């Protein structure tokens, strides 16, 4: 078929878009550089409600099977390195040749920010997502015993996943304060964000603590009296008053140096202590992986609540460039279910442009579904994602009034 | 030394997969067909995939999903391939990334550093 819709990214957003388009009899090619389809959904594994597990591998396989049933084509192990517009076509440059399309969907997901701590280039240091994929997808232990640097939703979830796989996590702790770790090394800021994972924590202390600490003053008190060795979540000490100041080892990771930190994040001199680990996970948070949108020429806006710089887009998942759509984490950091719902919106707005039977009502309903999914999300990466979404909506409206005037 | 997770309380037993062999720096290794080269090497305790091209400091995987390019190796003669997104195949010849010749070694001297 001529000029199929091309989707870059076989994560939940890309897969759900592909399925929706194919269900409308529209030809689709999904390009992804990874070994398997599924994107970051592949590594996900957590208990949503007692005894009900969200198994990302099973979900990915189910989506892939459905897409194949509908004759969606896949080009895996295919890295996209450039995009350009020629006449009416988007030209997609990859290591497996050049693809052309009139309607392109970018669903490239998110990437992880590191903390540049001394020793972080040693083999054995990896992003927390790397450990997730090693453990749950490849079924290889990242090591015997590790430490996680960075206290946030993703690191807490992955700590538990490691523990289920019988990989020891010595502690989850803060990075040492430096220019690049500002928000992540201040115990108070971290405590604030930690309150948002409290619903996942069976530890009574954190549960009670989170209600108790909503008040600023009490929170400060909480930090001050926060036990130096941390409170335990799933048996793993979460240390808000300790920071890893150095990762040590000759040829690979052998340990880390932990120090006690004051309430403002500064280090207590003489408190340094070495502990032995054979791997270190860095959890610096996620940001939208949007380079391709940038190459395509999309305007970008920095919206902290969405995780960083995001391409200008509207609720229908259109960018301001003809034939270019975006969906999933590239538009803001949220969980897989929101990405799935966004993929559907993008697909419906593409399908309507291609003359398929899609009504405005269908699109509006799909948008509503994104909102309800968001409201019920189990994992929320940023507590104020709604504020971020509103900001983007406003910027879009302003950009329209500019083009009209 | 690391190991494979043969049985997992939620994901179940490791599915049976075909075995293949490949070489890494002329040593013969076994792997499961289709798994990533990075996973296959880590499962045998190998963490160092290359050295920094100038300083020779050891490097391994960082992101494990193709974003950071830390895991660059030479695969069947091709330089700069990412071990974390390349599936192992029978007879694959892999070489770790090496120090590159630097013709102007002492540039610092001439730049007052
Ligand atoms: C390391 C990591 C771990 C995460 N863990 C969780 C978790 O446990 N729970 C949770 O709810 N959310 C998690 N997330 C958030 C997660 O991104 C969303 O849940 C969801 O997977 C986003 O879906 P997506 O379709 O937007 O993108 P993704 O699932 O990230 O898929 C994007 C796909 O695009 C491909 N791609 C990107 N760039 C290119 C290119 N240039 N060429 C070819 N292919 C490309 C990638 O290979 C990838 O398969 C995680 C995110 C990351 C980065
Ligand atoms: S480990 Fe990052 S690209 Fe392979």
């Amino acid at each position: 078929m001529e000029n199929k819709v091309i989707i870059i990214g076989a994560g939940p957003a890309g897969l759900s878009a592909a399925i929706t388009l194919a269900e409308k009899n529209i030809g689709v090619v999904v390009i992804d550089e990874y070994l398997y389809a599924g994107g970051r959904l592949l590594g996900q594994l957590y208990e949503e409600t007692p005894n009900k597990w969200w198994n990302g591998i099973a979900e990915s396989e189910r989506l892939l099977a459905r897409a194949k049933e509908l004759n969606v084509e896949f080009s895996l192990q295919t890295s996209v390195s450039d995009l350009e517009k020629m006449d009416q076509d988007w030209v997609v440059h990859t290591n497996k040749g050049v693809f052309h399309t009139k309607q392109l969907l970018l669903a490239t997901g998110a990437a992880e920010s590191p903390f540049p701590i001394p020793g972080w280039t040693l083999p054995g240091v990896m992003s927390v997502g790397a450990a997730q994929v090693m453990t749950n997808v490849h079924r290889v232990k990242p090591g015997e015993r590790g430490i996680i640097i960075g206290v946030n939703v993703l690191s807490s979830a992955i700590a538990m996943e490691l523990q289920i796989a019988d990989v020891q996590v010595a502690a989850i702790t803060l990075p040492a304060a430096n220019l690049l770790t500002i928000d992540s090394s201040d115990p108070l800021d971290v405590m604030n964000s930690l309150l948002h994972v409290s619903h996942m924590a069976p530890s009574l202390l954190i549960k009670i603590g989170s209600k108790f600490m909503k008040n600023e003053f009490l929170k400060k008190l909480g930090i001050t009296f926060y036990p130096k060795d941390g409170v335990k979540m799933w048996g793993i000490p979460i240390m808000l008053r300790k920071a890893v100041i150095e990762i040590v080892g000759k040829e690979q990771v052998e340990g880390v140096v932990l120090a006690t930190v004051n309430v403002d994040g500064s280090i207590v001199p003489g408190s340094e202590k070495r502990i032995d680990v054979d791997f270190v996970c860095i959890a610096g948070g996620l940001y939208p992986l949007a380079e391709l949108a940038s190459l395509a020429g999309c305007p970008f806006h920095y919206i902290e609540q969405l995780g960083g710089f995001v391409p200008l887009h509207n609720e229908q998942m259109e960018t301001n460039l003809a034939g270019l759509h975006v969906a999933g984490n590239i538009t803001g950091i949220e969980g897989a279910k929101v990405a799935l719902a966004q993929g559907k919106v993008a697909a419906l707005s593409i399908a309507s442009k291609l003359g398929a039977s899609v009504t405005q009502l269908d699109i509006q309903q799909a948008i509503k579904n994104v909102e309800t999914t968001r409201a019920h999300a189990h994992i929320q990466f940023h507590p104020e994602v709604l504020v971020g979404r509103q900001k983007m909506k406003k910027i879009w409206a302003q950009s329209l009034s500019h083009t009209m005037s | 030394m690391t190991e494979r997770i043969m049985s997992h309380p939620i994901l179940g037993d490791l599915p049976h997969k075909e075995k293949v062999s490949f070489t890494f720096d002329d040593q013969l290794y076994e792997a499961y067909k289709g798994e990533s080269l990075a996973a296959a090497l880590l499962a045998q305790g190998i963490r160092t995939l290359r050295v920094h091209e100038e300083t020779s400091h050891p490097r391994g995987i960082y992101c494990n999903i193709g974003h950071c390019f830390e895991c660059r190796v030479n695969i069947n003669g091709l330089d700069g391939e990412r071990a974390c997104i390349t599936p192992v195949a029978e007879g694959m010849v892999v070489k770790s990334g090496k120090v590159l010749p630097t013709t102007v070694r002492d540039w610092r001297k001439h730049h007052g550093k």
Side-chain angles (χ1 to χ4, degrees), chain A residues 66-92:
Chain A
R66 177 67 183 144
K68 290 212 159 145
E69 198 175 273
L70 293 161
N71 298 318
V72 170
E73 282 172 41
F74 283 86
S75 183
L76 296 177
Q77 293 167 49
T78 309
S79 298
V80 178
S81 52
D82 199 7
L83 286 183
E84 58 182 328
K85 186 99 185 230
M86 280 169 89
D87 303 320
Q88 296 300 303
D89 279 8
W90 285 103
V91 184
V92 180

Side-chain angles (χ1 to χ4, degrees), chain A residues 234-245:
Chain A
W234 312 296
I236 303 167
I238 302 192
M239 300 175 161
L240 290 184
R241 294 294 302 278
K242 301 258 186 216
V244 168
I245 56 172

Side-chain angles (χ1 to χ4, degrees), chain A residues 33 35-36 40 45 53 77 79 110 114 121 123 125-127 130 134 139 141-144 164 251 278 282 289, chain B residues 1-6 8-10 12 14 34 36 39 47-48 58-59 61-65 67 82 85 87:
Chain A
E33 65 181 350
L35 309 164
Y36 326 111
R40 305 290 74 82
L45 187 68
W53 287 78
Q77 293 167 49
S79 298
T121 59
V125 182
M126 64 192 85
S127 74
M134 264 310 169
R139 299 281 293 269
K141 290 189 179 182
E144 292 294 317
I164 295 169
E251 292 298 312
D278 66 349
I282 295 184
L289 188 66
Chain B
M1 190 63 193
T2 47
E3 51 182 291
R4 292 186 188 274
I5 302 160
M6 301 310 286
H8 187 287
I10 314 298
L14 200 61
S36 81
R47 288 197 185 280
T48 303
R59 294 294 177 91
I61 62 152
Y62 182 77
C63 73
N64 203 18
I65 50 172
H67 294 161
R82 287 167 281 175
I85 60 168

Side-chain angles (χ1 to χ4, degrees), chain A residues 8-15 31-34 36-46 54 78-81 107-112 127-130 132-133 154 157-158 161 286 289 292 327-330 333-337 339-340 342 379 381, chain B residues 63 65 67:
Chain A
I8 305 178
L15 286 175
I31 300 176
D32 198 298
E33 65 181 350
Y34 201 60
Y36 326 111
R40 305 290 74 82
L41 181 55
L42 284 169
Q44 301 180 13
L45 187 68
Y46 44 79
W54 173 253
T78 309
S79 298
V80 178
S81 52
T108 46
E112 297 182 77
S127 74
V128 76
Q132 181 182 48
V133 171
L154 193 59
I158 295 175
E161 292 169 17
L286 304 175
L289 188 66
L292 292 178
N329 273 199
I330 186 175
I333 306 302
E334 301 192 64
K337 287 184 182 170
L340 282 165
Q342 286 177 325
I379 280 193
F381 290 89
Chain B
C63 73
I65 50 172
H67 294 161

